[in-house]
Amino acid sequence: MAQPTTSPRQNTIRRPADRSEPRPRINRDGNASSGRSKSPSFNWGAALDRWFTDQRSTLTLGVLLMGLAIGLMVAFISYLMNGSADQSVVGAAFSEPLVEAGAETRNWVGLVGAYVAQVFVFRWFGVGALALPIIVFLSGYKLTFGSELLPLSRATTALLFAAVWCSLMLGYIVLVTNSAETASVWCGGIGYEINSALYSLFGWGNLAFIAFLLFFFVVYFFDVRNITMPNFARPADPTREKRRSTDPLQTYAESEFEPEPEEEELEPVDSSETEPSPAQPVNTFVTKATTIEPEVALPEVIAQTTGVTLTIKNRESVTDNLSGTEELSATPAPTFEPDPLDEDDLVAAHGLYDPTLDLPQYQYPIPDLLTDYPNSRKAQVSDDELTLNKEKIETTLRNFGIEIDSIQASIGPTVTLYEIIPAKGVRISKIKSLEDDIALSLSALGIRIIAPMPGMGTIGIEVPNKNREMVSMRSVITSDVFNNNKFDLPIVLGKTISNEIYVADLSKMPHLLMAGATGQGKSVGLNVLLTSLIYKKHPSQLKLVLVDPKKVELTLFNKLERHFLAKLPDAEEPIITDTKKVVNTLNSLCIEMDNRYNLLKDAGCRNLKEYNAKFVKRRLNPEKGHRFLPYIVLIIDELADLMMTAGKEVEQPIARMAQLARAIGIHLVVATQRPSVNVITGLIKANFPARLSFKVTSKIDSRTILDAGGAEQLVGMGDMLLSSNSDIIRLQCPFVDTNEIEDICEFVGNQRGYDDAYLLPEFVGDDGGQGDEKDVDMANRDPMFDEAARLIVIHQQGSTSLIQRKLKLGYNRAGRLVDQLEAARIVGSFEGSKARDVLVQDLQSLEEILKRLKGE
């Protein structure tokens, strides 16, 4: 904002640059309308984007491609058998009636099959054309089932080369045997013609050229860097020799393990699970050893280092032969520092971990899903209105003996800010006391005096505009401020008085408390916040926990279940509306918070950003429980209802997460209609430094939410005050309509997503999570009951997750199995987060119990 001049009585008025726009009309419900309507033109690009991201479209296209591949394969094989008989028919197909030509065709796919096969087999690739249906089938399979039988890109490259190379090789054989008239179908036109040209140049050397092509392809396709020599002739590795001379233990772990039979016997054990596949996917981690504890056996160290599991029968001879380690049993084993090149080698081999590859074809929502309001860009305030208001302010202040040196005006979307510099000797408190008098003279709904304005040296008087600007969501989503920001969780909050788009980072707030009376724009504000996050974040980077006690405000986001939503494992609906489920969800988030802190502790990181950066660089081992952690945003639409029905059960987990959850990426947005002290308690309020208030009914409510007055003077319909870092900013919230939210959710929901919503940790209340519904019918036991019982007894661990992981079952079925095991007295009762006690100690006792159950 420009600094005022110091010349006396100077009146400067700042105008918006664009005055050519017609004035919008703001209805009572906050919608903008214009005098004439313009029918939007159909956007073919957006329609195609929606078609290609629709799961129904990909399924249809995939099945079509697989059917086409089968038809091509049948047509090609039939042509190889009957091609000579069909050549004359295909050649005369366009000069004879189709009925007659089709009757004479011997190809199993008819005249079309014969024609297509003649093009691909006879004219082009010969037998090599059989690779083309395979490529089409693999593509259709990936679109249909979302997985790959073979890596599609590599398989396509290999098959295309095979088609060309087979054509060349068979063409050479046909050429040198002078059997072109009878066997040219097998090599195709490409193989025969190229060999004819090369044979005239190289003669028999043509065969060497074809062989070299195969060698060239194998070298680059399989990344062959040298031809392995026999062991007795393999050159020494100076780097390995250097490490062997300095670290005898590590030398042993990296050796070739060629023991003498009389000293030790090493038995190699198949360890296919630990060997990386040549076609290992990008997001795959390779385990490497970093430290060796004193009690860890040497074979385990070797297995971690080399990827081969070995059994040492003569342990004493192994330790005796380690030079410099005679006192190994008396001193702790040395710590192996990781080779600084290890992580770089992993990244070089597999690339940085990319969480978005879980949904590689995901497309972010497009701006065309949002409504454009071209006629509502600027608030319309005339020069006469500005001059009149300025004079009224001056007159009112002069009537009370207050002189001013200068006045400036800044036109915002909702209010116009008049900045005044009082004359010397004028007390600021005297101007603040005239708030009602100035409002009376301006005939305004309510004014707000900011005395002084932070960092400006002026006093601000905010006067509502008679004709307001409606800030559309599309205008802020397409702005450079939003698109070019580098925030972790960017949210658009609206436009300031100076018409600047205000974008905040929720991860820096780190929690947001919202309040506002009914109908003042609070629900629209939550929709704006959610829309901002969905437009900016990938589903792998963000999960939303939506709590809607009113049951109607957030239901539109149900379609995002398999992309952005998180829920309890046994929850049927992703949007939480029942108070009891809200309590369980909040406590589950506390468990998730504790689990994440344990991961950060093990990784040696202080916050989520450092942890994920380390994981992306493949410096954390997934086999030790590490994983990429998405941000989690908890949104509660009406806190007052929860506090009324649950009270302390809700307040305690909210306060705990507000205190601790910032570092591990869990952020809270809590909204309420009634910002009273029994709803926004001191424990909650102290941990929400960022507050956002729409219009409230009283100054007491304003002080409760903002610790300052002013929210009662707002004019409604998205007019709000943001308190952050002791600064209060007035903003006009963008408007996003219900149909826009529906289009966005439809666009995202129709794309391929995860199998289910993001599952939060299991939490069960004091009743064991069963309540009155715990009714186990042992006569109808699960078919895998016996197997699950044996698994529990062998591991002596009664947990649902163990059954899920080992038997590859879903959560609900595993939970029913645990209930049946409890009813059979194989495992004990529920004990909170601890695993259940196993009441059967050996398999023999278990078999007796199983026989008794079967006898019943």
Side-chain angles (χ1 to χ4, degrees):
M1 186 174 296
Q3 295 290 339
T5 59
T6 57
S7 58
R9 309 289 298 173
Q10 180 181 2
N11 300 325
T12 305
I13 298 174
R14 290 205 303 266
R15 301 286 309 167
D18 186 5
R19 287 184 48 91
S20 62
E21 301 292 339
R23 183 170 60 193
R25 298 172 185 166
I26 307 299
N27 301 328
R28 296 184 62 182
D29 58 356
N31 294 326
S33 62
S34 59
R36 54 187 179 182
S37 62
K38 180 181 179 181
S39 60
S41 59
F42 186 77
N43 192 327
W44 287 102
L48 289 176
D49 288 340
R50 295 187 191 183
W51 192 90
F52 281 113
T53 56
D54 193 338
Q55 287 183 330
R56 296 167 295 183
S57 305
T58 56
L59 176 62
T60 304
L61 182 59
V63 173
L64 176 63
L65 288 177
M66 288 195 294
L68 178 62
I70 295 173
L72 288 175
M73 181 64 76
V74 173
F76 290 176
I77 294 175
S78 177
Y79 189 83
L80 291 174
M81 300 172 60
N82 307 313
S84 58
D86 284 342
Q87 288 184 13
S88 60
V89 177
V90 172
F94 297 101
S95 61
E96 295 182 359
L98 291 178
V99 176
E100 297 180 5
E104 296 177 5
T105 304
R106 298 181 60 182
N107 193 287
W108 298 334
V109 192
L111 184 60
V112 173
Y115 182 80
V116 174
Q118 181 168 356
V119 172
F120 285 99
V121 179
F122 181 75
R123 297 182 182 176
W124 289 3
F125 302 112
V127 177
L130 296 177
L132 301 180
I134 301 176
I135 296 174
V136 177
F137 184 85
L138 293 176
S139 302
Y141 187 91
K142 181 177 181 180
L143 289 174
T144 303
F145 299 103
S147 60
E148 297 179 342
L149 288 174
L150 296 172
L152 184 58
S153 59
R154 289 180 61 84
T156 301
T157 303
L159 289 170
L160 289 177
F161 175 81
V164 176
W165 191 85
C166 288
S167 177
L168 292 175
M169 190 65 196
L170 291 174
Y172 178 82
I173 296 174
V174 169
L175 185 66
V176 297
T177 58
N178 295 320
S179 56
E181 295 182 359
T182 59
S184 58
V185 172
W186 298 94
C187 66
I190 291 179
Y192 186 81
E193 295 298 334
I194 293 179
N195 273 281
S196 298
L198 293 177
Y199 192 79
S200 61
L201 295 174
F202 304 111
W204 289 94
N206 190 15
L207 180 61
F209 175 77
I210 297 175
F212 181 77
L213 282 180
L214 179 61
F215 174 77
F216 178 84
F217 177 79
V218 170
V219 167
Y220 279 89
F221 187 77
F222 294 104
D223 195 19
V224 178
R225 305 212 176 241
N226 52 38
I227 299 177
T228 305
M229 301 173 62
N231 289 339
F232 61 84
R234 184 176 301 166
D237 182 359
T239 306
R240 174 175 291 183
E241 293 297 330
K242 182 178 180 180
R243 287 201 300 264
R244 182 179 292 117
S245 64
T246 58
D247 193 340
L249 277 179
Q250 191 167 352
T251 300
Y252 181 82
E254 295 178 351
S255 65
E256 298 293 338
F257 296 106
E258 299 174 356
E260 297 179 3
E262 65 273 14
E263 292 186 355
E264 59 185 3
E265 295 180 4
L266 302 180
E267 296 180 355
V269 181
D270 185 14
S271 182
S272 59
E273 292 182 357
T274 60
E275 291 186 1
S277 168
Q280 190 172 11
V282 176
N283 283 351
T284 302
F285 282 78
V286 179
T287 307
K288 63 178 184 299
T290 56
T291 61
I292 296 182
E293 299 296 334
E295 298 297 328
V296 176
L298 285 175
E300 299 175 6
V301 179
I302 299 164
Q304 293 179 359
T305 307
T306 65
V308 178
T309 304
L310 300 172
T311 302
I312 300 179
K313 290 187 175 180
N314 192 352
R315 182 182 302 271
E316 290 77 13
S317 61
V318 172
T319 55
D320 291 341
N321 289 329
L322 294 178
S323 60
T325 59
E326 290 79 8
E327 299 180 359
L328 181 63
S329 59
T331 59
T335 300
F336 287 175
E337 294 295 334
D339 190 341
L341 297 178
D342 287 346
E343 290 82 5
D344 296 336
D345 292 342
L346 287 175
V347 173
H350 308 286
L352 295 175
Y353 178 83
D354 186 0
T356 63
L357 290 180
D358 294 340
L359 296 178
Q361 297 179 350
Y362 175 79
Q363 293 191 0
Y364 291 83
I366 56 178
D368 291 342
L369 299 172
L370 299 170
T371 305
D372 188 14
Y373 299 95
N375 297 326
S376 59
R377 295 179 181 172
K378 298 294 181 182
Q380 302 298 314
V381 180
S382 64
D383 293 335
D384 295 338
E385 184 179 349
L386 288 174
T387 303
L388 181 61
N389 287 340
K390 179 246 324 176
E391 292 176 351
K392 288 181 178 179
I393 292 174
E394 290 180 344
T395 302
T396 303
L397 294 176
R398 191 180 301 112
N399 291 338
F400 288 92
I402 298 174
E403 297 292 336
I404 61 175
D405 290 339
S406 67
I407 184 171
Q408 298 183 30
S410 299
I411 303 174
T414 305
V415 298
T416 298
L417 175 65
Y418 296 89
E419 292 182 69
I420 63 174
I421 297 180
K424 295 182 179 179
V426 176
R427 302 181 62 178
I428 295 178
S429 59
K430 191 174 182 181
I431 298 178
K432 293 183 66 174
S433 64
L434 299 177
E435 185 174 79
D436 294 336
D437 299 282
I438 298 175
L440 177 64
S441 65
L442 295 175
S443 301
L445 295 175
I447 68 169
R448 176 170 170 261
I449 296 181
I450 310 170
M453 294 191 67
M456 300 299 296
T458 59
I459 296 175
I461 302 176
E462 294 175 349
V463 180
N465 297 330
K466 293 182 180 179
N467 299 297
R468 300 172 51 182
E469 171 190 351
M470 189 193 71
V471 181
S472 67
M473 191 66 193
R474 177 165 180 164
S475 65
V476 295
I477 286 292
T478 56
S479 65
D480 293 337
V481 177
F482 181 76
N483 290 321
N484 298 333
N485 73 81
K486 303 299 182 183
F487 294 156
D488 295 323
L489 291 175
I491 54 175
V492 173
L493 294 180
K495 276 190 176 182
T496 64
I497 291 178
S498 56
N499 280 297
E500 297 176 352
I501 296 174
Y502 190 92
V503 180
D505 190 355
L506 181 60
S507 64
K508 298 293 191 298
M509 285 185 170
H511 311 294
L512 180 61
L513 189 61
M514 298 175 62
T518 303
Q520 303 305 316
K522 179 167 47 60
S523 296
V524 174
L526 288 176
N527 289 338
V528 168
L529 186 146
L530 288 168
T531 302
S532 304
L533 294 175
I534 293 170
Y535 263 86
K536 256 310 192 182
K537 307 302 290 184
H538 189 275
S540 64
Q541 302 167 341
L542 171 68
K543 299 301 173 184
L544 303 171
V545 180
L546 305 182
V547 177
D548 183 14
K550 292 188 286 188
K551 304 181 180 181
V552 295
E553 295 294 345
L554 300 177
T555 53
L556 296 175
F557 295 93
N558 263 321
K559 296 180 181 178
L560 304 181
E561 177 179 359
R562 294 183 301 107
H563 295 83
F564 286 101
L565 299 189
K567 65 177 184 180
L568 290 174
D570 57 345
E572 297 180 358
E573 296 292 334
I575 309 296
I576 303 108
T577 56
D578 182 72
T579 302
K580 182 178 179 180
K581 293 182 179 178
V582 171
V583 174
N584 291 344
T585 301
L586 294 177
N587 285 281
S588 175
L589 281 172
C590 290
I591 297 175
E592 174 75 10
M593 177 181 70
D594 294 336
N595 293 341
R596 289 189 171 201
Y597 267 116
N598 291 332
L599 291 177
L600 262 66
K601 175 185 175 183
D602 295 340
C605 301
R606 298 183 59 186
N607 53 56
L608 181 79
K609 199 168 185 178
E610 293 180 7
Y611 178 88
N612 282 340
K614 220 171 191 180
F615 190 86
V616 166
K617 295 178 181 178
R618 302 184 181 273
R619 302 192 177 205
L620 300 176
N621 191 347
E623 295 184 1
K624 296 182 180 179
H626 293 292
R627 65 188 190 277
F628 185 86
L629 300 178
Y631 285 97
I632 297 179
V633 177
L634 168 65
I635 294 181
I636 301 177
D637 186 34
E638 183 49 69
L639 179 63
D641 182 75
L642 297 179
M643 295 295 292
M644 183 182 299
T645 55
K648 293 293 183 181
E649 293 181 274
V650 172
E651 179 185 6
Q652 183 177 356
I654 288 179
R656 187 163 182 263
M657 283 189 287
Q659 292 168 348
L660 300 174
R662 172 184 180 177
I664 44 83
I666 299 179
H667 303 279
L668 282 63
V669 178
V670 178
T672 181
Q673 293 180 359
R674 196 177 72 232
S676 56
V677 292
N678 59 339
V679 175
I680 304 177
T681 63
L683 192 59
I684 293 178
K685 185 178 177 181
N687 294 290
F688 282 80
R691 325 270 180 76
L692 188 63
S693 178
F694 295 87
K695 184 177 182 179
V696 294
T697 55
S698 67
K699 185 175 291 187
I700 295 176
D701 289 344
S702 177
R703 293 189 177 278
T704 302
I705 182 67
L706 296 176
D707 293 329
E712 76 282 359
Q713 299 290 349
L714 299 176
V715 295
M717 292 186 293
D719 190 18
M720 60 186 183
L721 294 175
L722 172 66
S723 174
S724 180
N725 299 324
S726 301
D727 295 333
I728 295 182
I729 305 171
R730 190 164 187 171
L731 301 167
Q732 174 60 44
C733 181
F735 177 74
V736 57
D737 206 352
T738 303
N739 62 335
E740 299 175 67
I741 298 294
E742 290 177 346
D743 291 343
I744 294 171
C745 295
E746 187 79 19
F747 181 88
V748 175
N750 285 337
Q751 300 185 50
R752 186 180 301 277
Y754 298 99
D755 294 335
D756 198 359
Y758 183 85
L759 296 182
L760 299 173
E762 177 185 4
F763 175 81
V764 184
D766 297 335
D767 60 352
Q770 305 294 340
D772 299 334
E773 300 177 0
K774 188 175 181 180
D775 185 14
V776 180
D777 184 8
M778 295 301 295
N780 296 320
R781 295 189 299 274
D782 192 282
M784 301 192 73
F785 176 83
D786 293 359
E787 189 174 352
R790 295 186 183 98
L791 178 69
I792 292 295
V793 172
I794 290 173
H795 289 83
Q796 287 294 302
Q797 180 182 351
S799 69
T800 305
S801 60
L802 176 66
I803 296 177
Q804 282 184 268
R805 188 172 63 255
K806 295 294 184 181
L807 300 183
K808 296 180 174 60
L809 302 178
Y811 176 84
N812 293 332
R813 187 178 181 184
R816 287 192 297 269
L817 278 168
V818 171
D819 292 339
Q820 294 173 4
L821 292 171
E822 179 185 355
R825 303 297 300 162
I826 297 174
V827 299
S829 59
F830 178 79
E831 297 182 5
S833 59
K834 294 172 54 181
R836 296 172 184 252
D837 293 332
V838 181
L839 306 180
V840 181
Q841 303 302 319
D842 54 75
L843 289 176
Q844 183 177 359
S845 302
L846 174 64
E847 293 300 330
E848 295 178 359
I849 295 175
L850 296 178
K851 289 180 181 179
R852 186 172 65 253
L853 290 174
K854 292 177 181 178
E856 295 176 356

